[in-house]
Amino acid sequence: MDIISNLINGTLVFSTAFIFAALGGLISERSGVINIGLEGFMVSGAFFSAVIAYYAETAGLGKLSPWLGIIGAFVFTAIFSSIHAIATIRFKANQVVSGVVINILAASSTFFLVKLIFEGSAESPLLTTVFHKYKVPLLGDIPFLGNAFFNNYPTTYIAIALVIVIYFVIYRTAIGLRLRAVGEHPGAADTVGVKVNRMRYMAVILSGSIAALGGATIVLTSNGNFAFNTISGQGYIALAAVIFGKWNPIGAMLASLFFGLAQAIKDQLQIFEFAARIPNEFFYMLPYVLTMLVLIGAVGKARAPKALGEPYEVGKR
């Protein structure tokens, strides 16, 4: 039972970054703008959270430093998401190409900056103050369920709460209706007074900032610092979760949990003796193999927003 409990807990831990990034991608694509740049936004979030938390830590801010790191990741990644928004909405650049450029730009610029800031080092210093698991009072003491669900990092609780908030906003509010409208039929939305491009700007910029929380989560919980390989393709897994989850916040969360389970299984299997005879590379490639299989199975079954990938000309019907 402990193994299963630890597996569930590990699934929640590993899926948290995917949930944040998938929610970010979902918001952008619901507005009609393809967001291949989730990898870059996660890299940006990891970089800014590590640097800001480090300087907050050295300034003696203690337990406040990881919170400042995660806030900084959210705020400063707006730089990269604004680039994507301006390129695709203002200049109507190919959205896939723009996303790829964001990924390259984020990876190269953050690597350059971390070497510049930390005197040639290829990674940021290891943080001594990071998030620790928080056991929910009373609920955390329930046998099996307590360890499985109620003993987790603050970022995990925030991610799950954000899923609920975004679901409510998209399907139960006027702004959510406008967001879906500009992604499905921007011409019709324009005729009733919705500022299509303004809505898309907001969605894309917010998308990058939310995805950045995924990168920040990795730095501020498990890694403790930033390096060029901190994200290692996890943004692409989050993109797969958006598609597999059918552009629905609940679906994206469930898909993220599925991919998180693949990583948790990797960790749990390695404690058994037979795992010593299996190359480590097999365990590390498991989440990515599952991503490809999921995408193959999802092709033709998941319906994307109708206007996804189509730039909008103001006044076009």
Side-chain angles (χ1 to χ4, degrees), residues 31-205:
S31 75
V33 179
I34 297 172
N35 200 340
I36 301 293
L38 295 181
E39 176 82 2
F41 296 140
M42 290 185 74
V43 170
S44 170
F47 169 76
F48 284 117
S49 65
V51 172
I52 293 171
Y54 170 75
Y55 281 110
E57 189 177 87
T58 55
L61 296 179
K63 293 182 178 180
L64 190 61
S65 57
W67 291 105
L68 292 174
I70 204 165
I71 292 170
F74 181 88
V75 172
F76 287 106
T77 300
I79 297 169
F80 286 102
S81 50
S82 295
I83 294 171
H84 185 50
I86 293 169
T88 56
I89 301 169
R90 174 67 178 84
F91 296 104
K92 298 176 177 55
N94 183 288
Q95 296 174 6
V96 173
V97 173
S98 177
V100 172
V101 170
I102 288 296
N103 290 338
I104 297 171
L105 179 62
S108 57
S109 62
T110 55
F111 183 61
F112 168 76
L113 288 172
V114 80
K115 289 178 74 68
L116 182 66
I117 294 170
F118 298 110
E119 301 177 349
S121 174
E123 58 186 30
S124 66
L126 194 65
L127 298 170
T128 57
T129 307
V130 294
F131 289 121
H132 297 287
K133 288 187 176 182
Y134 172 75
K135 185 169 73 172
V136 179
L138 299 179
L139 295 176
D141 295 324
I142 300 173
F144 181 78
L145 295 178
N147 179 61
F149 296 102
F150 304 111
N151 182 28
N152 232 304
Y153 293 106
T155 47
T156 301
Y157 302 125
I158 293 170
I160 294 171
L162 194 59
V163 170
I164 298 169
V165 170
I166 291 177
Y167 181 90
F168 177 82
V169 169
I170 290 177
Y171 295 107
R172 294 290 186 271
T173 67
I175 194 170
L177 178 61
R178 296 189 190 103
L179 178 71
R180 287 182 285 135
V182 300
E184 293 288 343
H185 201 309
D190 196 2
T191 60
V192 296
V194 177
K195 303 296 184 182
V196 176
N197 286 341
R198 182 187 298 175
M199 181 62 68
R200 287 184 170 183
Y201 269 114
M202 292 169 56
V204 174
I205 293 172

Side-chain angles (χ1 to χ4, degrees), residues 204-218:
V204 174
I205 293 172
L206 183 61
S207 166
S209 292
I210 292 176
L213 299 179
T217 293
I218 295 171

Side-chain angles (χ1 to χ4, degrees), residues 213-233:
L213 299 179
T217 293
I218 295 171
V219 168
L220 299 173
T221 56
S222 54
N223 281 33
N225 72 336
F226 171 81
F228 75 95
N229 61 346
T230 295
I231 303 303
S232 299

